[in-house]
Every structure is written in structure tokens, then in C-alpha cells.
Amino acid sequence: MLAMPFIKRNSGARTASFAARLLIVLLSIGAAHAVEPLPVDEIAPGVFVFHGVTAEQDAHNRGAISNAGFVVGSRCVAVIDTGGSPSVGAALRAAIRTRTALPVCYVINTHVHPDHILGNQAFIPDKPEFIGHARLPAALAARARSYIQSAERQMGEFGRGLELIPPTRTVADREELDLGGRTLRLRAWPTAHTDNDLTVLDEATGTLFAGDLLFVEHMPVIDGKLKGWIAVTAALAGGDYTRVVAGHGEPGSGWRDALERQRRYLQKVADETRAAIKGGRSLSQAVTEVALDEARRWALADLFHRRNVTTAYAELEWED
């Protein structure tokens, strides 16, 4: 039987339960004729979330490594992110059907990364509006080939047959969606984690879907602008939300603390990268020296910290 030792959760009992449930789901969605629903938690009335595992996508987890969710109104359902493969998207769609028979009218992508969008095609039969940041179409077009190649290489059969679904509606600033007696407020942010970050606020419950503007446990990954992300992290910390759904991990009621932890890491990368540049340190030296104490506090640091320093060095080398 498939082992998933990389799953990290806050409670030992909850870890075992979650791992067992997810294992059953992943084995089932690989079967020829069965689609088992993803395990979702109702974190507020009508707001459901699947919490992905902290890992890189591979053939074992099928790309179920990021958080995804849906909000149910009186008229229809909005999905926020769809997972890292069509099979995970299908399992999320099945989870929706266990909770409501209402149609899926919107599929919202918080940004371009494949672990959040490759499940989109599972929702084509619902004929929803696919919604994303105004810069999402260009980002998706630029990365489509590499995403398709990487998915098959990393996930084998579960990464084949991909159809990348671009948004049919984009958000340049702020918009509202009516689910029937329930309003979602969408906000397009300046370049931060990526250049196409979009958040979704369920007004009824004060639940913010932050996408990868917030990482918990999983090391933050800089794919946009470091200075921009520090600024956006501060802006989010000043928000009046009841709860926040991160792109990875569970902040629980401590979402402000989670944002502060993320800000501390990003600021340390910025400060020490600036110092390295000022001191004449090369990039190859900087990636082995910058913010190592903070990096050790995060999962998957070996995969992403050097990349973050490289991105920061390129951004800060020529700043005024």
C-alpha cells in the first residue's frame, strides 16, 4: 500500500485520520470507474476546504498538494482553485456533489501555478465562468508547454491528457460575484507571490481565500517580486477577516501570526540579500549564506530557498 510519510499536520490523531482519508481518495481516483470525493471540511457555514499535503507533486499525491475550496450560495457554487491534476479536480467536483446539487457557476483561480489550476478541466461539463487575474491569461500561455511537460514527468499517467483552461473572465481590480444571497468579493493584487494573484472574500462569513499570498509550513516561493509580496503581506495582515484560507497549510485562527511568520522570512531574505550585494558577494555565495536561520523553519526549504535567494538577488541587485 502507498505510504505518505511526508504529510505534516498539527495533531497526531488528525494526521493519521487525514492521511488515511486522502490515501483512500487518491487510490480511488486512480481507479478506472470510481471517483471518490476529496475530504473537505466545512470551516464556516457553506464554506468548504480541502487541505493539500506538504510536498512536491508526484505520482503518489497526484498533485493534491495545495488547498482548494468551494462556497455554496442559494443559486450556485463557486470553486476556488481546483488542484494539481484533472483527477484531483474530479475528486473535488465529486466532493461538491456530496454537499449540494446546485450548479457550479464559477471556477476561480487564485494564480497561475499548476498545483492550483490543473484540475480546471474536470469542471468543463458544468460550463462555469472560469475567473482569474487580468494577467493570468498571459502567464498561463507563457508557461503552458513547461507545465504540461512537467506534469507528465512528475505525475506520470496522472499528468497526461492535460487541457489548460484559461479564464473566460478576468479581474483587473475588484469585482463581486453573486451566488444567490451570498456575495464573493474578488481582488486583483499588484505583483507579489506572482504577477497574477487574486483573493476571494466570502462576505457572509468573513472567510478570505488568500491563495499563495499566504503559505503555512510550506516555504513561501517567490515567483513575482519580493518587495511587492512584503507589501501585500502587510496589507493582508491589516485586513478585517474572520478566517483566512492559505494556499498551503492551515493557519487556523492564527492567520495574523502566520502572515507575520511569512513576512519575517521574506524580510530576512530581502535584508540579507541587500547586505550580500552591498558586500560584493556573488550570487553563488549569497544562495549559501542568506537567511539560513529562517529557512530552516520551513518545510521544503531544500527545494525552494536557493531559488528564492536567486530571485531576490536579481530583483535587488539594481534597485535604487
Side-chain angles (χ1 to χ4, degrees):
M1 180 175 286
L2 174 65
M4 303 183 76
F6 51 77
I7 296 176
K8 296 177 65 178
R9 311 292 281 183
N10 294 330
S11 162
R14 191 174 181 186
T15 298
S17 173
F18 180 89
R21 290 162 65 201
L22 183 56
L23 176 57
I24 291 169
V25 169
L26 294 177
L27 291 174
S28 298
I29 63 179
H33 302 292
V35 178
E36 287 291 324
L38 283 180
V40 295
D41 297 315
E42 187 169 12
I43 63 169
V47 180
F48 300 87
V49 175
F50 164 74
H51 292 100
V53 296
T54 301
E56 277 201 297
Q57 62 184 26
D58 58 27
H60 288 175
N61 59 47
R62 275 79 154 169
I65 63 171
S66 63
N67 298 338
F70 57 94
V71 180
V72 182
S74 64
R75 180 177 67 86
C76 65
V77 179
V79 179
I80 300 101
D81 287 338
T82 58
S85 71
S87 59
V88 173
L92 176 61
R93 187 169 181 255
I96 294 170
R97 289 294 151 249
T98 68
R99 302 289 182 161
T100 179
L102 290 171
V104 174
C105 52
Y106 303 110
V107 172
I108 306 165
N109 291 132
T110 61
H111 63 292
V112 72
H113 287 156
D115 53 316
H116 296 261
I117 66 169
L118 293 187
N120 281 9
Q121 71 190 78
F123 291 91
I124 291 175
D126 299 293
K127 299 181 180 179
E129 282 194 86
F130 290 91
I131 300 176
H133 192 290
R135 295 195 188 101
L136 179 58
L140 191 57
R143 300 176 182 214
R145 183 184 296 273
S146 66
Y147 281 1
I148 290 172
Q149 292 173 343
S150 295
E152 185 168 343
R153 182 178 68 254
Q154 294 176 320
M155 295 186 290
E157 65 177 297
F158 300 101
R160 298 190 188 114
L162 291 181
E163 182 177 353
L164 299 183
I165 310 298
T168 57
R169 176 175 172 182
T170 60
V171 179
D173 185 15
R174 301 172 193 248
E175 286 196 23
E176 295 183 1
L177 302 178
D178 179 14
L179 306 184
R182 189 163 208 154
T183 300
L184 300 184
R185 298 187 182 277
L186 278 55
R187 180 173 179 179
W189 292 85
T191 301
H193 168 60
T194 69
D195 72 351
N196 52 89
D197 297 307
L198 186 73
T199 56
V200 181
L201 174 64
D202 173 44
E203 190 177 57
T205 64
T207 302
L208 181 76
F209 286 83
D212 279 3
L213 288 174
L214 175 59
F215 282 75
V216 179
E217 293 187 3
H218 186 305
M219 168 162 278
V221 181
I222 306 166
D223 190 25
K225 290 187 179 296
L226 174 58
K227 291 190 290 184
W229 198 358
I230 292 171
V232 169
T233 298
L236 289 173
D240 184 19
Y241 314 118
T242 303
R243 64 190 60 79
V244 175
V245 179
H248 297 264
E250 294 180 73
S253 61
W255 59 269
R256 292 184 194 276
D257 291 338
L259 281 165
E260 171 56 25
R261 182 172 181 247
Q262 175 176 281
R263 186 209 62 79
R264 187 170 62 244
Y265 168 73
L266 296 174
Q267 190 65 57
K268 195 75 175 287
V269 170
D271 291 346
E272 294 195 10
T273 299
R274 286 190 179 102
I277 293 169
K278 185 176 181 179
R281 312 295 282 175
S282 67
L283 173 58
S284 61
Q285 291 172 312
V287 297
T288 64
E289 298 171 356
V290 165
L292 293 182
D293 53 340
E294 284 295 327
R296 295 187 185 101
R297 302 174 187 268
W298 295 88
L300 305 180
D302 290 346
L303 294 173
F304 296 112
H305 180 62
R306 285 173 174 258
R307 297 188 207 176
N308 287 342
V309 176
T310 299
T311 302
Y313 196 101
E315 177 182 341
L316 300 176
E317 188 174 15
W318 305 109
E319 72 174 348
D320 294 333

